[in-house]
Amino acid sequence: MRPAFPVRLGAAEETLIAQLKAAGADQVAERVTVAGLPTRRVEAYHYTDLKTLLRTVPPLAQPANEATGTAIRVPGAYALSIVNGVVQHAATAPEGVIVGKTHGGVLTHRDDTLVGISNGLTKEALSLDLRGTIDQVIQIDHRIEGEAGHVADATKIFVADDSSVVILETFSGSDAAHVGNHASYLALGKNAIVTHVTVDLGSRATAHFATNEYHLAEGAQLRTLVVHAGSGLARTHLFPRMEGAGAHADVTGLNLVSEGQHSDITMETTHAVPHTSSQPLFKSITRGRSKAVVQGKLIVARDAQKTDAKFMHQGLMLSDDAEILSKPELEIYADDVVCGHGSTCGKLDEDSLFYLLSRGIPKAEAETMLVRGFIAELIDPIEDEALNEALQGIVDGWLLGQ
Amino acid sequence: MTTPVLEIRNLHARIEEREILKGVNLVIPQGEVHAIMGRNGSGKSTLSYVLAGKEDYEVTEGEILLNGVSILEMEPDERAAAGLFLAFQYPIEIPGVATMTFLKAAINAQRKARGEGELSTPDFMRAVKEAGAQLNVDSEMLKRPLNVGFSGGEKKRAEIMQMALLKPSLAVLDETDSGLDIDALQVVSKGVNALRDGKRSMLVITHYQRLLNHIVPDVVHVFSDGRIVESGDKDLALQLEAKGYADYDGQAA
Ligand SMILES: Nc1ncnc2c1ncn2[C@@H]1O[C@H](COP(=O)(O)OP(=O)(O)O)[C@@H](O)[C@H]1O
Ligand SMILES: [Mg+2]
């Protein structure tokens, strides 16, 4: 739909349009030309007005030679990396893992500008074919190095029937005003058991966008955990689709937001067939003047009877100046379902704090214990010990920093 | 004369503009167990919170000395490190904090504050096992988050177990008997009595005489409307049980 008045385009949009046109993504370029970046008048961007938040887009990043260390090291993990959009040569893959490359974007087309830009600009994607019980954590380390750069990169992962795997994707890079637009496409075969953790540890100047799309076949079990702990502006889309009976997804996420930061997790879970379930659970912790957003939409298709899904967002405010925003949405076309949503927001509980202090635990340590306690529900289910510890380390690091 | 473990002088305290403690005077010498009895609402828990340093209360007058040192300006954690322990009337449930993690943090924080080294993990495990065995706190309970899903009795046993591990010089037990059946009461009392060593002092708050059959006090104080109105030996508790608190009503005004 063409708006009655042409939208005034800013520097960010002009750069994007040129980059999209150069990449041959004319449709997306046209979309940005006509509508600009989404503003808060676009329902899905109501709390994250990209036109205001993203003033400039840097040039497309050039392949980088330098490789700074990875953001998190998980002992024993099989590590792969994508630097400035280029898939790096990897060490010999463990059994059951086939590493490859595909060309172009990986996401299913949808009415979303960031998704369009991802598909339009992604040149090559890292592909993984996974089969069997894979004990080693697979880590995909996305980095944007050097001068400020715009990067669109992607991973496309197929997990065979009855297979199990833990995948960690980390996002970091040099301290510059990067824009990252990352896509992950995961297809889970029948009864596959997958844990997929994505962690943003970008610099404060970075804008981090990510879209995780999941397709679950019969009996597949997915646990996702998104952690925003770095970039000044972060938005991750989670789009799980339950496509086979018995499929279940624990869709979880954590916004750790400090002074001046804005973090947004936007989920849309589709229950396409009968007898599937999902348990979306998100937490946001804010300090300073900052903003955390969680939007959660549950879509239940017309014949997807017996769907069981409950969305929950819990906020913890460590300062008075922060904003924590929740937007639950239910779009239910079946009649025999159990669906719900809830959200809570509060400060650290004074009585709990006093109890810990009264046992001799100093205030800072007691607060840390309570914050850790608040997010234990998200971290504890990550069973791989090394990964669990690494995630706990990120949270502790955030608590110590400012 | 040795310094009393606790000395409270003319203590006045208020919460939200309302005066609850109206001139408490109390001296507990080393090794003695004192009981405070009083009606619900007379201010007993308030006294225990003010001793432990809860922020909500404002001390407007008076002094509290622990082993001769004023604690009024100390934070709650500093008071704990100085030897004060409060067994809560309503222990707080803290989801997400593992009981063992909590116990270790508490023990080591206090040791650190006193300039002692951290307890090694085997020593810590041994101490917990010993204290747990005495109070029927099994390893299943210790695996749960702090106080979460504990029954009333389990919470009280866990409180006394913490006290056994933290070895305070003054323990304040606020209605430790409430919510306990007779078996649980015996376990808890046995645990408390095991910690009476001639040096440690205790302030046992209750409004039933029953507990004092098990934990026999050296001195009994009657608390009414924010102050101590009478003191005596353990027989005073029996008189109170027979006659009730009616005699003391209005006396404090
Ligand atoms: N947070 C509070 N705000 C106002 N009044 C309070 C608060 N807590 C306790 N009180 C009042 O203080 C008085 C003493 O309470 P408390 O110390 O709990 O008595 P006890 O332990 O003897 O039953 C009661 O009248 C109670 O209502
Ligand atoms: Mg009370």
Side-chain angles (χ1 to χ4, degrees):
Chain A
M1 193 183 69
R2 230 168 233 278
F5 305 98
V7 169
R8 193 189 303 267
L9 299 177
E13 288 140 335
E14 300 289 2
T15 308
L16 271 173
I17 292 163
Q19 291 174 349
L20 287 163
K21 279 186 175 159
D26 293 336
Q27 275 187 6
V28 192
E30 173 70 5
R31 180 188 175 109
V32 178
T33 308
V34 171
L37 282 166
T39 67
R40 62 192 163 75
R41 281 190 294 277
V42 176
E43 189 54 33
Y45 287 82
H46 186 66
Y47 297 123
T48 301
D49 184 318
L50 276 192
K51 201 175 171 69
T52 319
L53 290 165
L54 189 69
R55 292 306 181 120
T56 55
V57 170
L60 290 173
Q62 296 306 306
N65 294 320
E66 77 256 59
T68 58
T70 157
I72 342 177
R73 198 168 289 284
V74 179
Y78 169 59
L80 294 154
S81 54
I82 307 178
V83 181
N84 290 9
V86 181
V87 176
Q88 307 292 296
H89 294 289
T92 313
E95 202 179 318
V97 178
I98 299 171
V99 182
K101 282 186 207 176
T102 62
H103 291 279
V106 299
L107 299 170
T108 304
H109 175 78
R110 62 163 67 217
D111 181 18
D112 182 286
T113 303
L114 288 174
V115 167
I117 294 170
S118 165
N119 280 339
L121 294 182
T122 299
K123 286 205 184 97
E124 62 176 20
L126 169 67
S127 76
L128 293 175
D129 276 284
L130 307 172
R131 184 172 301 278
T133 302
I134 298 162
D135 293 325
Q136 253 182 302
V137 171
I138 298 177
Q139 178 177 7
I140 303 161
D141 190 28
H142 302 249
R143 291 201 304 276
I144 309 180
E145 299 290 1
E147 303 279 295
H150 183 196
V151 167
D153 64 10
T155 54
K156 187 160 197 173
I157 301 171
F158 291 94
V159 183
D161 295 352
D162 303 307
S163 301
S164 68
V165 64
V166 177
I167 301 159
L168 166 69
E169 297 195 62
T170 47
F171 303 88
S172 63
S174 58
D175 185 5
H178 303 301
V179 174
N181 192 328
H182 311 279
S184 303
Y185 176 102
L186 282 88
L188 281 65
K190 289 179 188 166
N191 301 315
I193 301 174
V194 173
T195 297
H196 183 230
V197 179
T198 62
V199 183
D200 162 48
L201 290 164
S203 72
R204 278 305 167 83
T206 298
H208 169 85
F209 304 118
T211 300
N212 300 355
E213 176 176 335
Y214 305 94
H215 296 266
L216 281 75
E218 265 169 62
Q221 311 288 309
L222 171 69
R223 171 169 290 278
T224 68
L225 172 62
V226 179
V227 181
H228 286 154
S231 299
L233 170 62
R235 169 155 163 137
T236 296
H237 295 145
L238 297 171
F239 300 139
R241 261 183 78 87
M242 322 303 282
E243 297 168 348
H248 173 81
D250 287 292
V251 190
T252 71
L254 174 63
N255 284 317
L256 296 173
V257 199
S258 300
E259 176 69 30
Q261 283 182 301
H262 180 121
S263 290
D264 171 340
I265 298 173
T266 293
M267 180 205 80
E268 186 180 300
T269 297
T270 305
H271 293 267
V273 300
H275 293 282
T276 65
S277 54
S278 70
Q279 189 87 37
L281 173 64
F282 301 95
K283 306 214 180 201
S284 294
I285 310 181
T286 53
R287 64 184 171 204
R289 267 162 305 159
S290 58
K291 199 179 272 193
V293 178
V294 173
Q295 308 187 99
K297 188 191 255 187
L298 295 169
I299 300 175
V300 179
R302 193 180 311 276
D303 61 351
Q305 305 297 358
K306 306 291 178 193
T307 292
D308 185 340
K310 179 148 197 259
F311 164 86
M312 184 68 184
H313 178 209
Q314 298 170 335
L316 174 61
M317 315 241 306
L318 299 179
S319 68
D320 293 327
D321 310 327
E323 272 184 272
I324 298 181
L325 301 157
S326 273
K327 189 169 75 185
E329 287 174 277
L330 299 174
E331 213 176 284
I332 299 174
Y333 301 103
D335 48 22
D336 184 14
V337 301
V338 181
C339 288
H341 60 80
S343 58
T344 61
C345 193
K347 300 184 170 208
L348 281 181
D349 180 54
E350 290 294 332
D351 290 333
S352 301
L353 195 58
F354 174 64
Y355 188 79
L356 297 179
L357 294 179
S358 79
R359 297 308 184 239
I361 301 171
K363 191 164 186 185
E365 191 181 341
E367 285 175 349
T368 302
M369 286 176 80
L370 291 178
V371 174
R372 276 179 159 220
F374 176 72
I375 57 182
E377 256 180 301
L378 301 180
I379 310 274
D380 285 356
I382 306 296
E383 283 172 11
D384 182 87
E385 219 169 289
L387 178 54
N388 184 300
E389 233 169 79
L391 292 170
Q392 195 66 65
I394 289 165
V395 172
D396 289 353
W398 182 80
L399 283 169
L400 285 174
Q402 270 312 311
Chain B
M1 205 188 92
T2 53
T3 315
V5 168
L6 179 69
E7 187 170 354
I8 301 176
R9 292 185 197 142
N10 190 32
L11 184 67
H12 291 253
R14 56 161 75 186
I15 182 160
E16 288 163 13
E17 305 298 306
R18 192 171 144 208
E19 183 163 66
I20 309 287
L21 300 184
K22 302 174 179 174
V24 179
N25 288 290
L26 175 66
V27 176
I28 308 183
Q30 207 178 50
E32 288 192 8
V33 171
H34 287 212
I36 282 188
M37 298 185 68
R39 267 186 206 286
N40 269 334
S42 58
K44 304 183 301 297
S45 289
T46 301
L47 176 63
S48 74
Y49 286 144
V50 170
L51 285 171
K54 197 167 193 222
E55 254 185 8
D56 319 356
Y57 299 89
E58 187 197 349
V59 172
T60 51
E61 214 181 317
E63 186 56 282
I64 304 173
L65 303 173
L66 183 68
N67 297 308
V69 178
S70 172
I71 60 170
L72 280 180
E73 295 300 316
M74 291 185 187
E75 296 297 325
D77 56 310
E78 296 170 321
R79 299 183 191 204
L84 181 76
F85 179 87
L86 167 62
F88 282 57
Q89 178 170 4
Y90 303 108
I92 310 291
E93 296 191 10
I94 310 187
V97 174
T99 303
M100 290 298 265
T101 310
F102 159 77
L103 290 175
K104 198 162 187 192
I107 291 174
N108 282 330
Q110 294 204 17
R111 289 177 69 95
K112 193 171 163 201
R114 291 192 294 259
E116 299 163 17
E118 283 202 355
L119 210 55
S120 73
T121 300
D123 285 347
F124 167 72
M125 297 303 289
R126 198 170 310 123
V128 169
K129 221 171 153 184
E130 263 173 40
Q134 218 175 23
L135 286 148
N136 289 354
V137 174
D138 56 33
S139 54
E140 208 39 59
M141 264 173 77
L142 294 171
K143 277 189 202 131
R144 281 183 252 165
L146 188 52
N147 291 323
V148 175
F150 288 19
S151 69
E154 285 175 334
K155 282 182 184 157
K156 298 304 174 79
R157 280 175 4 228
E159 291 288 287
I160 304 305
M161 175 182 164
Q162 289 177 34
M163 168 174 150
L165 287 168
L166 295 170
K167 302 187 173 66
S169 56
L170 175 71
V172 180
L173 311 184
D174 190 4
E175 307 247 3
T176 293
D177 52 335
S178 71
L180 295 188
D181 60 28
I182 191 71
D183 293 335
L185 184 63
Q186 266 162 0
V187 173
V188 166
S189 308
K190 217 175 104 196
V192 172
N193 286 329
L195 296 168
R196 289 177 78 163
D197 59 359
K199 281 206 258 164
R200 178 169 296 123
S201 304
M202 297 188 193
L203 182 60
V204 179
I205 295 172
T206 181
H207 71 272
Y208 289 119
Q209 183 271 338
R210 178 178 82 148
L211 175 69
L212 305 181
N213 289 334
H214 300 273
I215 304 172
V216 181
D218 298 298
V219 182
V220 173
H221 306 279
V222 182
F223 206 78
S224 177
D225 194 24
R227 73 182 81 169
I228 288 172
V229 291
E230 188 170 349
S231 303
D233 63 14
K234 63 181 181 350
D235 294 336
L236 180 56
L238 292 167
Q239 286 172 35
L240 273 174
E241 183 77 356
K243 292 201 299 190
Y245 294 104
D247 285 1
Y248 302 100
D249 287 348
Q251 191 174 320

